[in-house]
Amino acid sequence: MGALHVVGEPTRVITSFQPPQAKTSGHGHGPVVEEIHGLIRVYKDGHVERLPAIPDVPATWGSTAPGSGGVAVARDVVVDRATGVWARLYAPTTTTATGGGAAARLPVVVYFHGGGFCVGSAAWSCYHEFLAQLAARAGCAVVSVDYRLAPEHRLPAAFDDGLAALRWLRHQAAAAVTTAADDLAWWRARCRFDRVFLAGDSAGASVAFHVAARLGQGYLGPLGPLSVRGAVLIQPFFGGEARTASEKTMAQPPRSALTLPTSDCYWRLALPAANNAAAGRDHPWCNPVSRGAPRLETLPLPPLLVCVAETDILRDRNLELCRALRKAGKGVDQAVYGGVGHAFQVLHNSHLSQPRTQEMLAHIRAFVTARS
């Protein structure tokens, strides 16, 4: 996620990517060496400054506020005390899940936010509202993970935090079996832990992909009583040294959420520092179809739904990934949303954003329902 403009949030307009200017900060950190205008500045001494592009909101805000007649309830929990990683939990206030009734158990979606691995939060208002809608429309419980960010925590930190979230969820599943009475019992009672789905948008979709692969490779050992039934990749943020046609030619408006210079900057900040002079954007964590990446045929991946935005610079790379996965024998559904760009479902920066978001939520519900 790069340049941002959020409808309904005045004074939060973020212009397109600007190259970093070699100027002294005035705070003793030296010149700016990397910058995505309005989002993040990195100084020569390693100091990182993140700008308030989108406001953080509490779990009891908007459509989850008590007494608001909202569509979901939410609360925040720590999932890994060693790293400080936390998550926001959602459950719909009512459900049409199989079995019906407010007490019906629901599939669980573990969600990772976007932001190029460098910005973003589970507390951002745009993600809070989107995931409350996802819980309500798709009929699922949601774990929205606030993973550690680069460049302070370069990859694979986000992947490690994704695994930590699954480890925490496995603990919750075990607690549900013993009917432990604590302040999360209400949420566990809504969950079908044998129906887990990984999901995310942009960089978060990349996290979901790599976490799915690592789970399949046994990084956490036996998952039971958890069972991962699928993964939803929304405009997955991948790259490569060779440019795709959409990266080279897809014109982006001033309010675009992702431009090519912004994308490159994120990868410079997120990939291991020693990598940048070696594999570059063909590092397997950036380009899963590169020669140096594990063969897709060998990756034990669950069924995938890949959601593609038609005017996103990542469009062709997303479609290339779908083709490569199918060639490798993986189960892949794809959906292309016409007339909208990167992160349309959270930024609402197009007149088509709302109807396309509703289409996406319907596709996610159908994908989850078919595998639950």
Side-chain angles (χ1 to χ4, degrees):
M1 188 181 296
L4 303 184
H5 176 267
V6 184
V7 174
E9 305 237 6
T11 76
R12 298 290 183 181
V13 177
I14 311 303
T15 58
S16 59
F17 173 85
Q18 300 291 329
Q21 300 178 10
K23 61 182 180 182
T24 302
S25 69
H27 300 289
H29 298 299
V32 175
V33 294
E34 295 280 8
E35 179 174 7
I36 297 173
H37 187 67
L39 284 174
I40 186 171
R41 296 189 190 106
V42 181
Y43 294 86
K44 186 176 182 179
D45 70 349
H47 177 74
V48 178
E49 180 182 4
R50 290 184 178 84
L51 306 177
I54 295 175
D56 289 350
V57 298
T60 53
W61 181 84
S63 60
T64 62
S68 68
V71 297
V73 291
R75 69 159 296 170
D76 296 338
V77 297
V78 175
V79 301
D80 189 343
R81 295 192 180 279
T83 60
V85 171
W86 62 276
R88 182 161 292 178
L89 309 181
Y90 298 84
T93 52
T94 59
T95 179
T96 56
T98 302
R105 291 183 179 266
L106 306 167
V108 180
V109 173
V110 181
Y111 195 92
F112 304 97
H113 66 77
F117 305 104
C118 299
V119 299
S121 171
W124 270 11
S125 60
C126 57
Y127 281 108
H128 180 80
E129 283 299 284
F130 175 67
L131 292 175
Q133 290 295 325
L134 175 64
R137 289 291 308 278
C140 57
V142 177
V143 183
S144 176
V145 183
D146 198 75
Y147 54 87
R148 290 171 294 169
L149 300 175
E152 303 96 321
H153 304 283
R154 291 176 179 263
L155 296 175
F159 307 154
D160 294 340
D161 293 346
L163 290 175
L166 268 295
R167 189 181 296 112
W168 176 88
L169 190 64
R170 183 171 59 187
H171 176 76
Q172 296 304 312
V177 172
T178 62
T179 63
D182 57 27
D183 56 358
L184 291 183
W186 68 273
W187 186 79
R188 288 195 299 266
R190 305 298 304 281
C191 297
R192 285 208 62 175
F193 292 105
D194 60 344
R195 302 288 189 273
V196 175
F197 294 81
L198 305 177
D201 67 288
S202 194
S206 177
V207 175
F209 176 87
H210 287 289
V211 169
R214 291 178 175 213
L215 290 174
Q217 292 166 331
Y219 274 56
L220 291 186
L223 277 179
L226 300 184
S227 177
V228 175
R229 298 301 185 98
V232 179
L233 310 182
I234 302 172
Q235 303 132 29
F237 182 52
F238 292 117
E241 287 297 310
R243 306 296 195 186
T244 65
S246 61
E247 288 171 341
K248 290 187 291 186
T249 64
M250 185 72 72
Q252 294 297 300
R255 295 175 178 178
S256 171
L258 189 67
T259 65
L260 196 55
T262 301
S263 173
D264 290 350
C265 184
Y266 279 141
W267 285 118
R268 288 193 301 271
L269 295 174
L271 289 169
N275 165 77
N276 290 327
R281 292 186 307 275
D282 280 334
H283 190 289
W285 294 339
C286 176
N287 187 355
V289 298
S290 68
R291 288 187 177 183
R295 290 174 57 86
L296 292 177
E297 292 87 347
T298 69
L299 288 182
L301 294 169
L304 299 165
L305 169 63
V306 181
C307 301
V308 184
E310 183 186 35
T311 64
D312 188 355
I313 64 167
L314 297 178
R315 181 196 64 194
D316 291 350
R317 196 169 293 280
N318 290 173
L319 295 174
E320 176 189 24
L321 176 65
C322 291
R323 290 192 294 269
L325 287 165
R326 289 194 190 97
K327 185 177 180 181
K330 308 302 178 184
V332 183
D333 294 346
Q334 75 180 48
V336 179
Y337 302 93
V340 286
H342 196 75
F344 70 87
Q345 74 286 347
V346 290
L347 299 184
H348 306 301
N349 50 5
S350 162
H351 69 284
L352 292 173
S353 293
Q354 287 289 358
R356 297 294 181 265
T357 299
Q358 296 309 309
E359 291 175 21
M360 176 186 290
L361 291 173
H363 290 150
I364 295 173
R365 179 183 178 89
F367 178 80
V368 169
T369 301
R371 290 154 184 83
S372 298

